């Protein structure tokens, strides 16, 4: 099909599993100097595997992908898929995207900076700082427990129970304090510090905590402390604007019809006030790569407090409802890939999946944006998983 193919026809082809649009990915040249890999003793990025991971887009699970791999053994950059299904133009490798829960890394970093400045104490109850918002039932929840998902505060809804309901409410405005009041009006999921349950509500509280102790908006503090010093000019917060300002590739989502058919809808325009400090960031792969490298080098959170981002809750803490070991620290999570520990964060908004990941020594870093048609699905998107495995290796036992 050529660039004049109609959006309807292309969408129908994708739902049937046919590789529509460009015949192959638009890829940057492999930038891994052979001497770099040899000098460091590290394996160079597997360009062949990375190309294969994003080849053939658009397809049923994704319409575009942007990837940056870097480290001591060299770099690789590539993009694949389309800017949008209607035009069929190649995906913009510099395009902005919704980073989802990658936002949490920025939020956690600001809280840790404030702790380093003595403006808050990670060991103190959140209620010490927000007595008018946090009720007595949650008086033992500490600032640290907000960041590592062990607070026990229940999750709250964001517009409905089904995709169609969420879509109908995609432009609703959500107030952060109201969301916290709704959550804390319920019984705790568990006693603070005894289990881990990944969710957004702890980071919503953290955003309000930042505003309380600085007397500035959350957005202005992240900008002043991280975005501006690092020169992240293509990163920012949409506020109440449901659009993505600047160049970007469109996001699509598969909707199931009552008659058993499926429809692919453009979901690029979608409000993010329900996520706020937990997930509303808009960024680029270049900006996020610069950020994760600066963060791991101690240039964002300085001194011993950086270790909070690489420290899991004590060994007895298990994931709520599953019994799995805790896997989330303050802002990050950890996996064992290719026999090594990889720290990072994934994020998902409708039509968009994103991730930042790196080994602690920065010998390998990965940033990707995948325009996933199942961006909020229960399992990891297939294209995203292929990228992760190509960059680091297959998941291995902890």
């Amino acid at each position: 099909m050529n660039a004049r193919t109609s959006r309807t026809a292309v969408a129908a082809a994708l739902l049937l599993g046919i590789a529509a649009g460009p015949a192959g990915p638009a890829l940057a040249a492999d930038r891994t100097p052979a001497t770099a890999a040899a000098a460091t003793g590290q394996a160079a990025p597997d360009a062949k595997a990375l190309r294969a991971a994003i080849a053939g887009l658009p397809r049923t699970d994704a319409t575009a992908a942007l990837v940056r791999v870097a480290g001591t053994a060299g770099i690789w950059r590539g993009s694949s898929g389309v800017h949008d299904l209607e035009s069929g133009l190649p995906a913009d490798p510099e395009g902005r995207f919704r980073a989802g829960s990658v936002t949490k890394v920025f939020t956690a970093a600001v809280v840790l900076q404030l702790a380093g400045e003595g403006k808050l104490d990670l060991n103190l109850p959140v209620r010490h700082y927000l007595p008018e918002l946090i009720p007595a039932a949650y008086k033992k929840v500490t600032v640290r427990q907000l960041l590592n998902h062990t607070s026990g505060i229940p999750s709250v809804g964001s517009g409905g129970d089904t995709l169609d309901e969420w879509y109908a409410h995609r432009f609703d405005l959500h107030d952060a304090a109201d969301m916290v009041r709704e959550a804390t009006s319920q019984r705790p999921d568990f006693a603070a510090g005894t289990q881990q349950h990944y969710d957004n509500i702890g980071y919503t509280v953290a955003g309000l905590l930042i505003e309380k102790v600085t007397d500035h908006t959350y957005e202005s503090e992240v900008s002043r402390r991280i975005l501006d010093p690092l020169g992240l000019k293509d990163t920012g917060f949409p506020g109440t604007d449901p659009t993505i300002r600047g160049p970007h590739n469109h996001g699509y989502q598969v909707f199931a019809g009552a008659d058993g058919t499926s429809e692919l809808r453009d979901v690029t325009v979608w409000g993010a006030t329900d996520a706020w400090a937990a997930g509303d960031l808009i960024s680029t792969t270049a900006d996020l790569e610069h950020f994760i490298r600066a963060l791991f080098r101690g240039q964002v959170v300085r001194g011993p407090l950086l270790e909070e981002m690489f420290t899991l809750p004590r060994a007895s803490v298990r994931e709520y409802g599953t019994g799995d070991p805790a896997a989330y620290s303050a802002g990050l999570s950890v996996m064992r890939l290719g026999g090594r520990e990889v720290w990072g964060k994934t994020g998902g908004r409708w039509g968009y999946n994103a991730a930042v990941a790196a080994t602690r020594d920065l010998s390998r870093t990965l940033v990707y944006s995948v325009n996933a048609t199942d961006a909020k699905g229960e399992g990891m998107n297939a294209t995203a998983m292929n990228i992760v495995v190509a960059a680091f290796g297959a998941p291995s036992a902890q």
Side-chain angles (χ1 to χ4, degrees), residues 356-375:
V356 296
T359 55
R360 181 75 191 269
D361 63 0
L362 292 174
S363 60
R364 178 64 48 82
T365 66
L366 167 68
V367 179
Y368 69 71
S369 166
V370 172
N371 293 74
T373 62
D374 59 350

Side-chain angles (χ1 to χ4, degrees), residues 42-46 50 67-77 285-286 288-297 337 340-344 355-368 387-388 390-392:
Q42 299 286 340
D46 189 336
L50 288 163
V67 182
R68 296 173 74 98
V69 178
T72 53
I75 65 176
W76 185 92
R77 296 171 187 169
T285 55
L288 290 181
E289 182 182 73
H290 184 45
F291 168 68
I292 200 69
R293 293 178 67 81
L295 179 70
F296 280 39
R297 285 172 174 160
L337 298 168
R340 53 188 168 179
E341 274 192 355
V342 176
W343 292 85
V356 296
T359 55
R360 181 75 191 269
D361 63 0
L362 292 174
S363 60
R364 178 64 48 82
T365 66
L366 167 68
V367 179
Y368 69 71
I387 293 168
V388 169
F392 290 108

Side-chain angles (χ1 to χ4, degrees), residues 132-378:
E132 72 289 348
L133 185 63
I134 305 300
Y138 292 92
K139 64 183 180 181
K140 294 185 178 181
V141 174
T142 67
V143 175
R144 178 180 287 105
Q145 289 163 351
L146 294 178
L147 301 183
N148 66 20
H149 303 281
T150 60
S151 70
I153 302 175
S155 301
V156 292
S158 59
D161 297 320
T162 68
L163 177 54
D164 286 306
E165 289 177 350
W166 285 321
Y167 184 76
H169 291 277
R170 65 193 183 280
F171 299 133
D172 288 1
L173 300 180
H174 302 264
D175 179 77
D178 286 345
M179 289 191 289
V180 173
R181 291 186 189 98
E182 178 186 351
T184 56
S185 68
Q186 304 171 39
R187 293 171 57 90
D189 282 340
F190 48 82
T194 63
Q195 297 187 63
Q196 186 172 75
H197 182 201
Y198 178 81
D199 59 21
N200 283 349
I201 193 63
Y203 278 75
T204 303
V205 179
L208 293 169
L209 179 61
I210 290 169
E211 294 192 333
K212 179 71 173 184
V213 301
T214 66
D215 201 29
H216 298 135
T217 68
Y218 162 78
E219 294 84 357
S220 65
E221 281 298 299
V222 176
S223 296
R224 183 176 71 85
R225 292 171 172 273
I226 300 176
L227 306 189
D228 294 342
L230 295 182
L232 307 183
K233 298 185 182 303
D234 292 315
T235 300
F237 302 94
T240 59
D241 186 350
T243 67
I244 301 176
R245 297 292 182 92
H248 61 277
N249 301 309
H250 287 226
Y252 297 87
Q253 183 75 31
V254 174
F255 285 72
D259 58 356
T261 61
S262 296
E263 175 191 359
L264 199 62
R265 296 184 197 170
D266 189 325
V267 293
T268 308
V269 181
W270 193 307
T273 57
D274 61 305
W276 192 49
D280 73 345
L281 192 78
I282 290 172
S283 192
T284 64
T285 55
D287 272 8
L288 290 181
E289 182 182 73
H290 184 45
F291 168 68
I292 200 69
R293 293 178 67 81
L295 179 70
F296 280 39
R297 285 172 174 160
Q299 296 168 347
V300 179
V301 178
R302 302 181 186 278
L305 280 167
L306 179 60
E307 289 305 310
E308 294 284 338
M309 305 193 88
F310 298 99
T311 303
L312 299 177
R314 66 181 186 275
S316 61
V317 171
R318 314 292 286 189
E319 185 180 347
Y320 177 63
T322 71
D324 293 335
Y328 295 94
S329 63
L332 300 175
S333 62
V334 64
M335 289 185 67
R336 194 159 186 84
L337 298 168
R340 53 188 168 179
E341 274 192 355
V342 176
W343 292 85
K345 189 71 193 74
T346 58
R349 295 294 296 176
W350 302 110
Y352 297 88
N353 278 167
V356 296
T359 55
R360 181 75 191 269
D361 63 0
L362 292 174
S363 60
R364 178 64 48 82
T365 66
L366 167 68
V367 179
Y368 69 71
S369 166
V370 172
N371 293 74
T373 62
D374 59 350
K376 302 281 280 185
E378 290 191 12

